[in-house]
């Protein structure tokens, strides 16, 4: 199963606009499955938002979607849960600057 969303922007104020879906390949019975959306760092939530929209177009219920991410910003959590209140988010940590935070944690420079 594959769902690829092209992220053309790098933040909320980016000049390129919202992410664009470039490829979707889902099993015919996707609406009957639980779906894990895996995305390492969720800054704005735009890419995941587009992915959930694609799943919903294919009749996947929100309560069947679980987002798995290492780090997520409060803004992304707010966006996703405001738009899709039944979606669940599984993460290690919520942090204002998840990209910087990931680098610090990964390289051990957070001390």
């Amino acid at each position: 199963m594959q769902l690829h969303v092209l992220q053309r922007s790098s933040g909320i104020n980016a000049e390129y606009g919202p992410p664009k879906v470039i490829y979707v390949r889902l099993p015919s019975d996707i609406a009957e499955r639980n779906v894990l959306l895996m995305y390492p760092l969720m800054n704005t939530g735009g890419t995941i938002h587009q992915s959930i929209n694609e799943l919903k177009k294919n009749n996947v219920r929100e309560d069947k979607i679980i987002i798995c991410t290492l780090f997520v910003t409060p803004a992304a959590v707010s966006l996703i849960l405001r738009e899709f209140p039944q979606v669940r988010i599984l993460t290690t940590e919520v942090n204002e600057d998840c990209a910087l935070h990931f680098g610090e944690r990964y390289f051990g420079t957070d001390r």
Side-chain angles (χ1 to χ4, degrees):
M1 169 172 70
Q2 295 180 14
L3 170 66
H4 295 280
V5 178
L6 174 63
Q7 177 69 40
R8 297 186 318 159
S9 60
S10 59
I12 295 170
N13 296 322
E15 60 192 65
Y16 300 109
K20 179 182 174 186
V21 176
I22 57 168
Y23 179 76
V24 177
R25 187 175 120 202
L26 302 170
S28 59
D29 64 343
I30 189 68
E32 301 165 22
R33 298 182 183 209
N34 289 313
V35 177
L36 292 176
L37 273 180
M38 312 210 34
Y39 199 72
L41 305 174
M42 241 170 65
N43 272 323
T44 65
T47 301
I48 289 293
H49 189 279
Q50 290 288 27
S51 298
I52 294 170
N53 281 331
E54 286 299 316
L55 290 169
K56 289 185 73 167
K57 285 181 192 174
N58 286 275
N59 300 316
V60 175
R61 294 188 343 240
E62 287 180 21
D63 65 333
K64 295 275 197 171
I65 300 171
I66 301 169
I67 300 167
C68 297
T69 184
L70 291 174
F71 299 108
V72 62
T73 63
V77 171
S78 179
L79 171 71
I80 296 302
L81 296 182
R82 182 178 60 246
E83 298 289 323
F84 311 107
Q86 294 180 353
V87 167
R88 291 169 282 171
I89 300 173
L90 177 63
T91 186
T92 62
E93 192 168 337
V94 178
N95 191 288
E96 284 292 337
D97 188 356
C98 67
L100 174 64
H101 187 66
F102 172 75
E104 290 174 345
R105 296 290 292 269
Y106 183 78
F107 294 108
T109 58
D110 61 335
R111 294 174 180 85

